[in-house]
Amino acid sequence: MLTFNLTLSGSDLLLLLPEIFLTLWLCVVLCLDFSLKRITHQQLAYLSIGGLGITGLMLIGMDVTGITGALFKNMFVLDHLALFFKILVVLATALVVFMSIDYVRDFRFFKGEYYCMVVMSAIGMMFMASSNDLLSVFVTLEFSTFGFYVLVAYLRDDIRSSEAGLKFFILGVFAAGLLAYGISLVYGETGTMVFSEMAGNQGSYGLAIGFILIFAALGFKIGAVPFHSWIPDTYQGAPTPVTAFLSIAPKGAALAILIRMFYVALASFKPMWVVVFVLASIVSMTYGNVVAIAQKNIKRLLAYSGIAQIGNIMIGLAAGTKQGSDAIMFFLLTYLFANLGAFAVIIAVSQVIRSDEIEDYNGLNRRSPFLAAAMLLFLLSLAGVPPLAGFIGKLYLFVAAMEQELYTLLVVGLVNIVISMYYYLIVVKKMYINEPTDPSPIAASMPIKVAVYVGIAGTLVLGIYPGPFIDWAVDATLMFSNIVAPVAALSVLPGS
Amino acid sequence: MTEMVIPSGGTPWLTLVLVIPLLGVAGILLAQESLSRQVALGVSTLCFLVSLPLWFLFDNGNGGMQFVEKHQWIESPSIHYALGVDGISMPLVLLTTLLTPLCILVSWTAIEQRRKEFMISLLVMETATIGVFAALDFVLFYVFWETMLIPMYLLIGVWGGPNRVYAAVKFFLYTLAGSILLLVAILVLYFEGGRTFDILTLTQAHYSPNLQSLVFWAFFAAFAVKVPMFPFHTWLPDAHVEAPTAGSVILASVLLKLGTYGFLRFSLPMLPDASVAFGPIIMALSVIAIIYGAYMALAQADLKKLIAYSSVSHMGFVTLGLFALNAQGIEGAMLQMINHGITTGALFMCVGIIYERTHSRQIVDNGGLAKAMPQFATFFVIFSLSSVGLPGMNSFVGEFLVLVGAFEWSKLTATLASLGIILAAAYILYMVQRIVYGPAASAMLPKLFDLNPREFGMLLPLVFFVFWIGLYPNPLLDVMHGSVNRVLASQSEIVTVDRGQQTDKPTRLVADGAVNSQPLTGKVQ
């Protein structure tokens, strides 16, 4: 039976300090918003960024000094893996807030609350990165998604945004149902909620179904085929900064859970789940890339390309080794900069031309050489062209797959690079080769430029000097160095 | 970490050569649009000057890598920033640094729109191509190899002719598909060759015949597309016709060499068994390319298309020489690579000069230029004769050596290949006759004026090389000897084992200095 008696000491609270601090900061921002009449939404945004910055520094400090531990009977674990993903989430959130400042100006209501919702989701995702048992997975997942339900439908006069919100909500709730059902099955079979205690359990059909249901719920979060159907419409309809947020932060947090769950709880069943990931990876990459070719809307294009990128990421999960998880984490970093950068450019362009159609990117090079060059870099990094970050990321994934002799996956992945290059090239062609219909220049505002510059810097630095960041990812997963023993694990399987 | 001694006083010449164009890019970004071409010209000239020590400080007696620089780039998997040149790559580096300033001169007035971006693309191309020739780490090599695609895509796509988008995308996807297979091959070699990306170590490793043939065809896909070999050549005429003059020059003079360089640097020494086993196929494709390219060139009415098909034919000679797998063949092929770079580059410049005046590349529109443009006509005739392979000019030496090498490999092949030379004489002379001496197209006459100093200045150095290599190729051959012998040494090892009983080839292969080449282990000094 699950009993719960809470004992907390001051030093325990230290582990929760970043989350506690950010929660208090969020409350302060919220109070300032309604109590000071003259405070502008820009000031609130910069306040939020300040809070995120301090949180980020705390996390980095904890990572450097090695403050780790577990709380609440292992429900909440703070290790280097969790810290990596928390820093990722905080960085993404700060960039998203920068990108939002222009966009929020055009909102008619609830400007200040917007930032609160963003930060609240971020807190949820930080908890996700630390969740170490099924109950906390459920709670944190729903907590972070709750903020997104509101954010996606934030443009309440816009029919597309409302539609996106509704679709996201219905499918999200459905996924939550699957998750709860899966959790109940797993608990019934193993009698425990904590990942590390499940390891070494005998396999059974109930357990398998339970984990498949949990995988489906998390697959919904990361947008892997066949759980991707909400992605294109939601991406297109949601306010663009929210789309950018959706495209990286929840995926990162959900991957933290996936890595923990499969590497720790299900380590002994590796030969079985590898097959699942190989299939999901192949289908996601191929489907995402092929369908992306036909897209006319840049947000939809990035939505499908995101599905394909998740396919790439799952190459690392399919490898199922420490090398695989290192590759995933480094790839997520490269994806963060390139993808957020691309969305920042999209926001800058759409602020002026009020359109997200790829057709309207004609001659962007003439209208804003800076934005066009930045977009070129981001798209090439997403495609994996050296010497940009994406190339190193993909190289690592492929090396990890090769190490596990997953040749089919490797070949499919490489073929997909060619396919993806084709549609990224379509955008490049529009920007550079086609002539603009309206040659008036497009100027980007300062906050957007900050986001774009950070994206460019990240894309170049991670590509040209990836060493320290790879080391960071490698160090974060040290705890997995011992779990890669698929051959020995075979004997634990039922009937073998 | 630097494990290896850097000769020549420790100056990292190769890094300098690589970085200077990039500094130029930064300079152009900061400079005004109107100054961009001056900055680009200055920077690329500087780059050429800095690359000269590679020639003058080069030690001909050492067939291994020189000017080696090696630093750790990524720890796990171990990837290095490793550079170095030997007798194979050094001349190609110089060819690149020589042609880039000339390309900027070619585009001086021809490029009126988005000049800044154009110059940036050219300079990035320069860094990337030099990087490909100088990289000693496979990942670094791949990085440069791929980086090249985007600037070239933009060169064709933005500043090209009316059908440029089609040509640019075709170029891009063809080469990308090839490169992806190259990446597979690199990863396979990494795992089979001792978990390293170091090109020299991988060259010394031995691979099973099965693996060799797989990797050979993966390499083939990447390199044959670049060369381009029949039947992968179809992107070339499109790309050449649509590209601006500078793009065509870079494409013909430097980019095509990357493919043959790849064969010579990787396929032959790393995969000796497969090179012997599949040699006949490559030789057959080369002969087809020589004759087919020449035959197609005969029928062209568009000057650029004509020269593009002649490129297919001339590059056929290069692959023919390479896979003859003997000293004459390989050295001839290398000379031919340089020659083709000079001659075809010059011919494309000439076409550019005509096009700037008459805005037509059709042969019928450009008849009888000798009267209106006597200086131009002189240059044009020189380069055309060089392309035919007239004795005393550069191509003669290269083609002659290739044919000697091919003759030793198989008499029939050499005979068929020499048909290509006859056809070359036919299409080139027919072109020269119409362009230079034919009846003048009266509509064009008012537009014609002779070379200005800039145009004169950019053609003159190439004339110098035409005659230098034609009359006294020894300095260039001396540079190549040592490194070619090394390639052959890796070949002869297996040839003596596998085919020694049936033929008398091995003795001949090892002859010509290969015997006294140093053991492979001492490669990097």
Side-chain angles (χ1 to χ4, degrees), chain B residues 383-402:
Chain B
F383 293 127
S384 301
L385 293 180
S386 149
S387 182
V388 174
L390 198 73
M393 290 179 169
N394 55 351
S395 299
F396 172 74
V397 190
E399 279 174 8
F400 181 76
L401 281 172
V402 166

Side-chain angles (χ1 to χ4, degrees), chain A residues 396 402-403 414 432 464, chain B residues 73-74 76 114 184 191 195:
Chain A
Y396 266 80
M402 192 98 179
E403 197 89 47
L414 289 167
Y432 275 89
I464 294 167
Chain B
W73 179 24
I74 298 170
S76 160
R114 302 193 229 185
V184 176
F191 281 100
R195 306 206 168 220

Side-chain angles (χ1 to χ4, degrees), chain B residues 212-255:
Chain B
Q212 281 197 26
S213 35
L214 282 176
V215 175
F216 183 87
W217 289 113
F219 276 163
F220 177 80
F223 300 145
V225 165
K226 270 265 162 45
V227 172
M229 290 181 71
F230 180 87
F232 305 106
H233 64 280
T234 57
W235 63 270
L236 187 77
D238 287 317
H240 266 317
V241 169
E242 299 303 330
T245 308
S248 291
V249 175
I250 286 278
L251 193 61
S253 304
V254 183
L255 240 67

Side-chain angles (χ1 to χ4, degrees), chain A residues 32 45 70 115 133 192 204 217 334 419 433 455 469 475:
Chain A
L32 285 177
Y115 299 110
D133 82 348
T192 175
S204 68
T334 71
I419 304 176
I433 296 177
F469 302 94
D475 291 343

Side-chain angles (χ1 to χ4, degrees), chain B residues 126-377:
Chain B
E126 184 176 17
T127 296
T129 35
I130 296 171
V132 168
F133 290 133
L136 290 185
D137 184 282
F138 244 137
V139 173
L140 191 68
F141 170 86
Y142 188 77
V143 165
F144 287 123
W145 178 274
E146 284 279 280
T147 307
M148 217 156 37
L149 288 183
I150 298 295
M152 196 62 214
Y153 168 79
L154 292 177
L155 280 181
I156 300 174
V158 177
W159 295 276
N163 203 11
R164 57 187 192 267
V165 175
Y166 169 75
V169 173
K170 193 169 177 183
F171 160 82
F172 195 96
L173 292 181
Y174 256 72
T175 32
L176 185 73
S179 327
I180 293 296
L181 285 168
L182 177 66
L183 186 61
V184 176
I186 291 176
L187 289 177
V188 169
L189 288 178
Y190 170 77
F191 281 100
E192 299 294 329
R195 306 206 168 220
T196 173
F197 285 115
D198 183 67
I199 288 173
L200 299 176
T201 318
L202 288 177
T203 309
Q204 285 156 28
H206 292 279
Y207 308 98
S208 71
N210 265 342
L211 186 81
Q212 281 197 26
S213 35
L214 282 176
V215 175
F216 183 87
W217 289 113
F219 276 163
F220 177 80
F223 300 145
V225 165
K226 270 265 162 45
V227 172
M229 290 181 71
F230 180 87
F232 305 106
H233 64 280
T234 57
W235 63 270
L236 187 77
D238 287 317
H240 266 317
V241 169
E242 299 303 330
T245 308
S248 291
V249 175
I250 286 278
L251 193 61
S253 304
V254 183
L255 240 67
L256 303 192
K257 309 301 170 298
L258 297 167
T260 44
Y261 172 76
F263 278 125
L264 186 49
R265 169 72 74 227
F266 305 118
S267 299
L268 295 191
M270 284 184 189
L271 316 165
D273 299 287
S275 302
V276 172
F278 300 121
I281 302 177
I282 311 287
M283 294 298 263
L285 289 177
S286 306
V287 171
I288 294 176
I290 291 172
I291 295 174
Y292 172 82
Y295 191 69
M296 290 301 284
L298 267 176
Q300 300 306 318
D302 180 307
L303 271 173
K304 267 192 159 177
K305 245 189 174 145
L306 191 151
I307 302 172
Y309 276 111
S310 88
S311 281
V312 173
S313 176
H314 283 135
M315 293 307 284
F317 276 103
V318 180
T319 43
L320 189 74
L322 289 179
F323 281 87
L325 298 177
N326 51 44
Q328 291 88 342
I330 293 180
E331 281 181 10
M334 286 178 54
L335 262 187
Q336 183 69 359
M337 278 155 81
I338 307 284
N339 292 337
H340 179 261
I342 292 167
T343 305
T344 309
L347 281 175
F348 274 120
M349 287 182 189
C350 289
V351 176
I353 290 171
I354 298 179
Y355 185 74
E356 271 191 63
R357 288 164 171 73
T358 65
H359 293 283
S360 166
R361 287 186 308 258
Q362 298 300 313
I363 296 179
V364 283
D365 292 341
N366 293 302
L369 296 181
K371 276 201 191 103
M373 306 169 67
Q375 290 176 0
F376 170 80

Side-chain angles (χ1 to χ4, degrees), chain A residues 25-36:
Chain A
W25 190 277
L26 168 70
C27 297
V28 171
V29 171
L30 200 57
C31 293
L32 285 177
D33 181 31
F34 64 71
S35 49
L36 295 180

Side-chain angles (χ1 to χ4, degrees), chain A residues 185 189 202-212 272 494:
Chain A
L185 279 175
E189 291 288 338
Q202 288 293 318
S204 68
Y205 288 115
L207 193 62
I209 294 171
F211 272 110
I212 286 177
M272 290 157 100

